[in-house]
Amino acid sequence: AAGVIQSPRHLIKEKRETATLKCYPIPRHDTVYWYQQGPGQDPQFLISFYEKMQSDKGSIPDRFSAQQFSDYHSELNMSSLELGDSALYFCASSRLGMTRNYGYTFGSGTRLTVV
Amino acid sequence: GENVEQHPSTLSVQEGDSAVIKCTYSDSASNYFPWYKQELGKRPQLIIDIRSNVGEKKDQRIAVTLNKTAKHFSLHITETQPEDSAVYFCAASKSGGGADGLTFGKGTHLIIQP
């Protein structure tokens, strides 16, 4: 079965640079979520989109922005990168209203290293 | 906002024994409680979830119980096996699995001793 696809898998950037992470949800899923997970930490919710509209907002820094496109893929844009932004960034997707399973599926993540 | 506390942070059990991980949440409006298993460097994987209209749910060796009054929920793993070794996260959400984000606990590192 198709899973959530994230690209790139690994990314190395210098401080103050910008980065764009991409997420392709499972087909027919209409909701995407972004999480940031630092080393040894729990995933922190950043932002979610439903039907291309921002749905919920978590601890996303002002330097970050995201959007969901007409084909439901999403991009997380990160500017003025800081060393503390180094983390695993997970995207997850779900289809609202599915009664069988309200759990959502995470992608394999993008490991961002800021040097 | 929601605050989820998880205990213990590390749990070591003998293979074949049971393991119990406990979580408490603060927001009484939360109504969806999933549990994730995460191996080092890999994605969190949903292992079981429970909604607030149910007190207990079981799937083979894994069970989850929910006490809405006390605002706590627990993961029970029976007949533990070496492949159960991983970090387990509990989480809570107010939207019953909708577009709201999950608030995670800090995780429990489960070690299965052979």
Side-chain angles (χ1 to χ4, degrees):
Chain A
V4 177
I5 306 297
Q6 290 188 246
S7 67
R9 291 296 305 275
H10 302 274
L11 189 59
I12 300 175
K13 290 286 185 178
E14 294 188 355
K15 284 192 302 184
R16 292 181 289 279
E17 284 192 318
T18 61
T20 297
L21 309 185
K22 297 184 178 183
C23 169
Y24 296 86
I26 292 172
R28 293 185 297 280
H29 278 197
D30 50 23
T31 308
V32 294
Y33 314 76
W34 286 98
Y35 287 82
Q36 176 192 58
Q37 187 176 28
Q41 297 183 2
D42 56 296
Q44 293 290 314
F45 171 67
L46 295 178
I47 196 166
S48 63
F49 292 87
Y50 167 63
E51 284 291 346
K52 294 150 279 184
M53 299 287 289
Q54 181 181 310
S55 180
D56 191 16
K57 192 172 181 181
S59 54
I60 185 169
D62 291 341
R63 300 177 289 108
F64 294 5
S65 65
Q67 58 181 324
Q68 185 180 30
F69 294 86
S70 58
D71 63 351
Y72 295 100
H73 94 273
S74 178
E75 295 183 4
L76 177 66
N77 299 293
M78 312 160 71
S79 63
S80 302
L81 287 169
E82 302 173 356
L83 295 178
D85 296 328
S86 296
L88 262 174
Y89 290 82
F90 288 105
C91 172
S93 76
S94 70
R95 183 176 177 183
L96 292 194
M98 288 184 71
T99 57
R100 282 191 59 209
N101 180 10
Y102 276 80
Y104 51 62
T105 304
F106 282 87
S108 296
T110 293
R111 182 174 295 282
L112 172 66
T113 303
V114 181
V115 297
Chain B
E2 175 66 277
N3 181 48
V4 177
E5 295 196 358
Q6 183 171 348
H7 300 281
S9 57
T10 303
L11 178 61
S12 181
V13 301
Q14 291 291 323
E15 181 179 351
D17 287 351
S18 296
V20 180
I21 302 171
K22 300 182 179 182
C23 288
T24 60
Y25 60 99
S26 62
D27 191 341
S28 56
S30 289
N31 56 13
Y32 175 65
F33 307 93
W35 286 87
Y36 287 87
K37 175 183 180 182
Q38 187 177 31
E39 297 176 5
L40 188 62
K42 296 192 176 180
R43 76 186 81 187
Q45 291 190 302
L46 178 70
I47 55 172
I48 197 167
D49 56 10
I50 193 167
R51 294 171 57 78
S52 58
N53 59 350
V54 174
E56 184 174 358
K57 185 176 177 181
K58 189 173 181 179
D59 182 5
Q60 300 182 349
R61 297 186 297 110
I62 295 173
V64 57
T65 58
L66 171 64
N67 183 326
K68 286 190 300 182
T69 303
K71 288 191 281 189
H72 69 68
F73 55 114
S74 300
L75 177 72
H76 304 252
I77 305 175
T78 59
E79 301 172 16
T80 53
Q81 301 168 3
E83 53 265 36
D84 294 330
S85 295
V87 178
Y88 291 79
F89 290 99
C90 62
S93 166
K94 288 186 288 189
S95 64
D100 287 358
L102 294 171
T103 301
F104 284 83
K106 296 300 182 186
T108 296
H109 186 191
L110 177 62
I111 301 166
I112 308 300
Q113 304 274 9

